[in-house]
Amino acid sequence: EELLMLAENNMHHAILDTVLSELEEGDKKVFLALVLGNGHNEIWKMLSFKVRDAEEKIKKTAEAFLKKLHEDINEARHKRG
């Protein structure tokens, strides 16, 4: 359970990093306030106006993260066995 929670947190941070790298400084503050307030609809509205292809960029980040996670798990398994 702890490893799953750690993986989820790391994916969340990777996605946040991707989004924040696309936003202007003032927009970053607004975005983070929305994230802290769990304003999911407002977050998507903002991203649709401020980040070109936001959904695709988030999807690619998540896919890359999961691929790396699987590689790390397989490497750890091979080292154990």
Side-chain angles (χ1 to χ4, degrees):
E1 284 184 39
E2 287 182 41
L3 288 175
L4 181 58
M5 190 169 67
L6 182 63
E8 288 174 352
N9 285 335
N10 284 339
M11 182 186 292
H12 181 76
H13 286 121
I15 291 170
L16 282 177
D17 184 57
T18 296
V19 171
L20 289 172
S21 70
E22 297 285 328
L23 294 173
E24 304 269 334
E25 202 59 39
D27 292 333
K28 289 178 184 182
K29 292 177 182 179
V30 173
F31 173 77
L32 290 173
L34 291 173
V35 169
L36 289 174
N38 290 319
H40 298 288
N41 290 335
E42 293 81 13
I43 290 170
W44 284 111
K45 285 179 191 175
M46 179 183 186
L47 292 180
S48 69
F49 287 112
K50 301 288 183 174
V51 178
R52 183 180 179 141
D53 299 321
E55 191 171 344
E56 186 63 28
K57 289 176 182 177
I58 290 169
K59 182 179 176 183
K60 284 183 180 183
T61 297
E63 288 171 350
F65 177 85
L66 289 173
K67 180 180 178 189
K68 177 70 172 130
L69 180 62
H70 285 282
E71 289 170 0
D72 291 347
I73 290 169
N74 286 332
E75 182 181 329
R77 282 184 182 157
H78 286 57
K79 285 182 179 180
R80 261 180 83 203

